[in-house]
Amino acid sequence: MRPRRAVGPPADDRVPPGLRTAAGYTWRLLLLGVAAYLAVEVLGRLQLPVVAVFMALVITSVLRPLVDLFARVLPRSLAVLLAFLLAAVVVGGVLALVGTTVADEWSRLGTELRGGLARIDHWLTGAPFHLRPGTVTDLRAKIAAFVAAHRQALLNTALSGASRAVELLTGLALAVFCSVFFLHSGDRMWRWAESLLPDRARPAWDRAGRTAWRTFAGYTRGVLIVAATNAVLVGIALAVLRVPLVVPLVVLEFVAALVPLIGSPIALAVAALVALAARGPVVALLVLALIVVIGQVEGHLLHPLVLGWSVRLHPVAVALSVIGGAVLGGVLGAVVAVPVVSVAWAVFGELRDHGPSAPVRDRSP
């Protein structure tokens, strides 16, 4: 009778437990990475409708408190119409004010800029730069020669920009169209979407959806408050320093501050260039000092007070989100990165802390 051959342990038992755990996490993370990559690719190809829906959600989050207020005494449809009319008046008034200011100050600004360039040229010839006289004048001549030599390319770029402007207007019209329905019957649309899900999945999706909307709306309203506060502070400082084009620079600061961390410094750098040309290097340095002051006020006062209750992200996470969004989607990616990450983190925390079967409480903004 032949002796029985010893049977070794199963293959899985010969693999260390730590390695099995690491391998399990690895292939799951790889699948999630592939899914995220495919999602980014699909969203990139559908950029116009995706951006339009995002803008519709922004408009809805801003106007919904006003619509709810009007809806107490008016039918919902009339409340939506009145809110849009008031928003159009405000936006149109700001644009008209910017255009009027630029038109009124344009001739005086041209004279100041020519004198400012002469002062900059004189300043660069002294310590500590010791550049040769006429440096700024030569630079202006080189820029004019470059524009003349590449006129056709610049014209093509302008035409491409015109087509992008038409695309932007189309997306804005689609955003307004969607936001009208979101404001008028958004709750009914959400309940209809939930009715398509299995019964067991509805509580989890309801909690996730309400948490996502609450976080997104809180972030949107908060960042608008922060941007408006920054713009007011910058406007007061520029008016005290007598920098020209205060109103357009204030509007630029408001728009740029919608991108956390990097938007406001870029807008203030533009203001510093205007101050350098019109008022000289001392005023320009004071405007540059505003970058530090505004950054401290925004980071240590405004964000904790205004956004702390709705967005719980570490500043490092915010910075990485902005840079990652800019790499993936340019300026648009930098704008949407923080709200997307904030919503994802809030949904994850809600489902982790309470579970998918926890009772749903309507805390929508």
Side-chain angles (χ1 to χ4, degrees):
M1 183 175 181
R2 298 177 60 185
R4 296 179 61 184
R5 191 168 53 176
V7 180
D12 287 346
D13 292 342
R14 292 196 296 266
V15 179
L19 184 58
R20 288 203 304 270
T21 303
Y25 278 110
T26 300
W27 72 261
R28 289 176 174 87
L29 289 175
L30 286 175
L31 286 179
L32 290 176
V34 171
Y37 174 79
L38 293 177
V40 171
E41 286 293 318
V42 172
L43 293 178
R45 294 181 180 276
L46 299 175
Q47 186 176 11
L48 180 60
V50 169
V51 172
V53 171
F54 178 83
M55 288 301 302
L57 293 175
V58 171
I59 296 172
T60 303
S61 64
V62 174
L63 295 184
R64 179 168 176 176
L66 190 61
V67 171
D68 291 341
L69 179 63
F70 291 157
R72 295 178 181 179
V73 295
L74 294 173
R76 188 77 180 180
S77 56
L78 291 179
V80 172
L81 177 60
L82 183 57
F84 269 101
L85 289 177
L86 288 178
V89 169
V90 172
V91 174
V94 171
L95 294 178
L97 180 61
V98 171
T100 304
T101 303
V102 173
D104 291 341
E105 296 188 8
W106 190 254
S107 58
R108 182 173 61 87
L109 181 62
T111 304
E112 290 185 354
L113 287 178
R114 286 191 293 270
L117 292 176
R119 289 194 299 269
I120 294 172
D121 202 352
H122 178 72
W123 176 55
L124 292 177
T125 58
F129 301 102
H130 297 292
L131 298 178
R132 65 180 181 82
T135 300
V136 177
T137 305
D138 293 344
L139 180 61
R140 292 173 59 189
K142 290 179 180 179
I143 293 175
F146 176 84
V147 172
H150 300 81
R151 185 173 301 173
Q152 186 62 38
L154 294 175
L155 180 60
N156 293 335
T157 303
L159 292 176
S160 176
S163 64
R164 293 289 295 180
V166 173
E167 184 177 347
L168 178 63
L169 292 176
T170 304
L172 181 60
L174 181 59
V176 171
F177 178 79
C178 293
S179 62
V180 168
F181 288 95
F182 292 164
L183 287 168
H184 182 266
S185 54
D187 293 334
R188 292 199 300 270
M189 295 171 68
W190 175 247
R191 288 194 295 269
W192 173 80
E194 279 189 327
S195 67
L196 302 178
L197 300 172
D199 292 338
R200 293 180 57 185
R202 291 178 187 176
W205 279 94
D206 196 24
R207 294 193 67 85
R210 294 183 183 278
T211 301
W213 173 247
R214 185 173 63 252
T215 303
F216 180 83
Y219 173 84
T220 302
R221 298 166 190 166
V223 78
L224 288 177
I225 294 174
V226 171
T229 306
N230 284 357
V232 170
L233 295 177
V234 169
I236 294 173
L238 294 181
V240 170
L241 295 173
R242 293 188 297 165
V243 176
L245 297 178
V246 172
V247 175
L249 291 175
V250 166
V251 175
L252 176 63
E253 167 66 23
F254 174 80
V255 175
L258 299 179
V259 181
L261 299 181
I262 64 173
S264 183
I266 292 175
L268 287 175
V270 175
L273 290 176
V274 176
L276 178 63
R279 300 285 296 156
V282 176
V283 177
L285 290 176
L286 292 176
V287 175
L288 288 177
L290 279 176
I291 296 178
V292 179
V293 176
I294 295 297
Q296 295 299 315
V297 172
E298 180 180 348
H300 294 88
L301 181 62
L302 295 179
H303 275 285
L305 288 177
V306 178
L307 294 174
W309 65 275
S310 61
V311 179
R312 296 175 176 86
L313 290 180
H314 194 275
V316 174
V318 174
L320 292 177
S321 301
V322 173
I323 299 302
V327 171
L328 292 176
V331 177
L332 182 62
V335 172
V336 305
V338 177
V340 169
V341 174
S342 301
V343 167
W345 181 249
V347 170
F348 171 76
E350 180 73 17
L351 296 181
R352 177 198 59 194
D353 296 339
H354 302 283
S357 59
V360 179
R361 291 172 294 177
D362 188 1
R363 295 179 296 172
S364 58

Short mmCIF file of all heavy atoms in Angstrom, two decimals, residues 9-32:
data_model
loop_
_atom_site.label_atom_id
_atom_site.label_comp_id
_atom_site.label_asym_id
_atom_site.label_seq_id
_atom_site.Cartn_x
_atom_site.Cartn_y
_atom_site.Cartn_z
N PRO A 9 -1.27 23.22 2.84
CA PRO A 9 -2.39 24.15 3.09
C PRO A 9 -2.88 24.77 1.80
O PRO A 9 -2.16 24.83 0.80
CB PRO A 9 -1.76 25.21 4.01
CG PRO A 9 -0.30 25.15 3.70
CD PRO A 9 -0.01 23.72 3.36
N PRO A 10 -4.11 25.20 1.77
CA PRO A 10 -4.63 25.88 0.56
C PRO A 10 -3.76 27.07 0.18
O PRO A 10 -3.02 27.62 1.00
CB PRO A 10 -6.04 26.31 0.97
CG PRO A 10 -6.39 25.44 2.13
CD PRO A 10 -5.11 25.13 2.83
N ALA A 11 -3.87 27.45 -1.10
CA ALA A 11 -3.02 28.53 -1.61
C ALA A 11 -3.24 29.82 -0.84
O ALA A 11 -2.31 30.57 -0.55
CB ALA A 11 -3.28 28.75 -3.10
N ASP A 12 -4.52 30.10 -0.47
CA ASP A 12 -4.81 31.34 0.24
C ASP A 12 -4.17 31.36 1.63
O ASP A 12 -3.80 32.41 2.14
CB ASP A 12 -6.31 31.55 0.36
CG ASP A 12 -6.94 31.96 -0.97
OD1 ASP A 12 -6.17 32.34 -1.87
OD2 ASP A 12 -8.17 31.88 -1.09
N ASP A 13 -4.02 30.14 2.26
CA ASP A 13 -3.43 30.09 3.59
C ASP A 13 -1.94 30.37 3.55
O ASP A 13 -1.34 30.70 4.58
CB ASP A 13 -3.70 28.73 4.24
CG ASP A 13 -5.19 28.55 4.55
OD1 ASP A 13 -5.89 29.58 4.58
OD2 ASP A 13 -5.63 27.41 4.74
N ARG A 14 -1.30 30.18 2.39
CA ARG A 14 0.14 30.43 2.31
C ARG A 14 0.43 31.91 2.07
O ARG A 14 1.58 32.32 2.11
CB ARG A 14 0.75 29.61 1.18
CG ARG A 14 0.74 28.10 1.46
CD ARG A 14 1.69 27.39 0.52
NE ARG A 14 1.28 27.49 -0.86
CZ ARG A 14 0.53 26.58 -1.48
NH1 ARG A 14 0.10 25.51 -0.82
NH2 ARG A 14 0.19 26.74 -2.74
N VAL A 15 -0.60 32.74 1.78
CA VAL A 15 -0.42 34.18 1.59
C VAL A 15 -0.62 34.87 2.93
O VAL A 15 -1.61 34.63 3.61
CB VAL A 15 -1.44 34.73 0.56
CG1 VAL A 15 -1.26 36.22 0.38
CG2 VAL A 15 -1.26 34.01 -0.77
N PRO A 16 0.31 35.72 3.33
CA PRO A 16 0.16 36.42 4.62
C PRO A 16 -1.14 37.22 4.65
O PRO A 16 -1.56 37.80 3.65
CB PRO A 16 1.39 37.34 4.67
CG PRO A 16 2.38 36.69 3.77
CD PRO A 16 1.59 36.03 2.68
N PRO A 17 -1.81 37.27 5.80
CA PRO A 17 -3.08 38.01 5.89
C PRO A 17 -2.94 39.48 5.50
O PRO A 17 -3.83 40.05 4.86
CB PRO A 17 -3.48 37.85 7.36
CG PRO A 17 -2.77 36.62 7.82
CD PRO A 17 -1.49 36.58 7.05
N GLY A 18 -1.83 40.10 5.90
CA GLY A 18 -1.65 41.50 5.55
C GLY A 18 -1.58 41.73 4.05
O GLY A 18 -2.13 42.71 3.53
N LEU A 19 -0.92 40.81 3.35
CA LEU A 19 -0.83 40.93 1.89
C LEU A 19 -2.19 40.72 1.24
O LEU A 19 -2.54 41.41 0.27
CB LEU A 19 0.18 39.92 1.34
CG LEU A 19 0.46 39.98 -0.16
CD1 LEU A 19 0.95 41.37 -0.55
CD2 LEU A 19 1.47 38.92 -0.56
N ARG A 20 -2.99 39.76 1.78
CA ARG A 20 -4.33 39.57 1.22
C ARG A 20 -5.19 40.82 1.41
O ARG A 20 -5.92 41.23 0.52
CB ARG A 20 -5.01 38.36 1.89
CG ARG A 20 -4.45 37.01 1.49
CD ARG A 20 -5.47 35.91 1.72
NE ARG A 20 -5.92 35.91 3.11
CZ ARG A 20 -5.35 35.22 4.09
NH1 ARG A 20 -4.27 34.49 3.81
NH2 ARG A 20 -5.83 35.24 5.31
N THR A 21 -5.10 41.42 2.60
CA THR A 21 -5.86 42.64 2.85
C THR A 21 -5.44 43.78 1.92
O THR A 21 -6.27 44.49 1.34
CB THR A 21 -5.70 43.07 4.31
OG1 THR A 21 -6.11 42.00 5.16
CG2 THR A 21 -6.53 44.31 4.61
N ALA A 22 -4.09 43.92 1.75
CA ALA A 22 -3.59 44.98 0.87
C ALA A 22 -4.04 44.74 -0.57
O ALA A 22 -4.41 45.68 -1.28
CB ALA A 22 -2.07 45.05 0.95
N ALA A 23 -4.00 43.46 -1.03
CA ALA A 23 -4.42 43.16 -2.39
C ALA A 23 -5.91 43.45 -2.58
O ALA A 23 -6.33 43.98 -3.62
CB ALA A 23 -4.13 41.69 -2.71
N GLY A 24 -6.72 43.14 -1.55
CA GLY A 24 -8.15 43.42 -1.66
C GLY A 24 -8.43 44.91 -1.78
O GLY A 24 -9.22 45.34 -2.63
N TYR A 25 -7.76 45.71 -0.95
CA TYR A 25 -7.92 47.15 -1.06
C TYR A 25 -7.40 47.67 -2.40
O TYR A 25 -7.97 48.60 -2.99
CB TYR A 25 -7.19 47.86 0.08
CG TYR A 25 -7.98 47.90 1.37
CD1 TYR A 25 -7.60 47.15 2.47
CD2 TYR A 25 -9.11 48.70 1.48
CE1 TYR A 25 -8.32 47.19 3.66
CE2 TYR A 25 -9.83 48.75 2.65
CZ TYR A 25 -9.44 47.98 3.74
OH TYR A 25 -10.16 48.02 4.91
N THR A 26 -6.31 47.08 -2.90
CA THR A 26 -5.69 47.58 -4.13
C THR A 26 -6.62 47.43 -5.32
O THR A 26 -6.83 48.39 -6.08
CB THR A 26 -4.37 46.85 -4.39
OG1 THR A 26 -3.48 47.09 -3.29
CG2 THR A 26 -3.72 47.35 -5.68
N TRP A 27 -7.18 46.24 -5.51
CA TRP A 27 -8.01 46.07 -6.71
C TRP A 27 -9.32 46.86 -6.60
O TRP A 27 -9.85 47.35 -7.60
CB TRP A 27 -8.28 44.59 -7.00
CG TRP A 27 -9.21 43.86 -6.09
CD1 TRP A 27 -8.89 43.04 -5.06
CD2 TRP A 27 -10.65 43.85 -6.16
NE1 TRP A 27 -10.00 42.54 -4.46
CE2 TRP A 27 -11.11 43.00 -5.13
CE3 TRP A 27 -11.59 44.46 -6.99
CZ2 TRP A 27 -12.45 42.76 -4.89
CZ3 TRP A 27 -12.94 44.22 -6.76
CH2 TRP A 27 -13.35 43.38 -5.73
N ARG A 28 -9.80 47.05 -5.37
CA ARG A 28 -10.99 47.88 -5.22
C ARG A 28 -10.67 49.35 -5.52
O ARG A 28 -11.46 50.05 -6.19
CB ARG A 28 -11.54 47.75 -3.81
CG ARG A 28 -12.20 46.39 -3.53
CD ARG A 28 -12.64 46.27 -2.08
NE ARG A 28 -13.39 45.04 -1.84
CZ ARG A 28 -12.83 43.88 -1.54
NH1 ARG A 28 -11.50 43.80 -1.45
NH2 ARG A 28 -13.58 42.81 -1.35
N LEU A 29 -9.51 49.82 -5.03
CA LEU A 29 -9.11 51.19 -5.34
C LEU A 29 -8.86 51.39 -6.83
O LEU A 29 -9.17 52.45 -7.39
CB LEU A 29 -7.85 51.56 -4.54
CG LEU A 29 -8.05 51.75 -3.03
CD1 LEU A 29 -6.71 52.00 -2.35
CD2 LEU A 29 -9.00 52.92 -2.76
N LEU A 30 -8.30 50.37 -7.48
CA LEU A 30 -8.09 50.46 -8.92
C LEU A 30 -9.42 50.57 -9.66
O LEU A 30 -9.56 51.37 -10.60
CB LEU A 30 -7.31 49.24 -9.42
CG LEU A 30 -5.81 49.21 -9.08
CD1 LEU A 30 -5.20 47.90 -9.54
CD2 LEU A 30 -5.10 50.39 -9.74
N LEU A 31 -10.41 49.79 -9.24
CA LEU A 31 -11.72 49.89 -9.88
C LEU A 31 -12.34 51.27 -9.66
O LEU A 31 -12.93 51.86 -10.59
CB LEU A 31 -12.65 48.81 -9.32
CG LEU A 31 -12.39 47.37 -9.79
CD1 LEU A 31 -13.38 46.42 -9.14
CD2 LEU A 31 -12.51 47.28 -11.31
N LEU A 32 -12.20 51.79 -8.44
CA LEU A 32 -12.72 53.14 -8.18
C LEU A 32 -12.00 54.19 -9.02
O LEU A 32 -12.61 55.13 -9.53
CB LEU A 32 -12.58 53.47 -6.69
CG LEU A 32 -13.51 52.70 -5.74
CD1 LEU A 32 -13.19 53.07 -4.29
CD2 LEU A 32 -14.97 53.00 -6.05
#
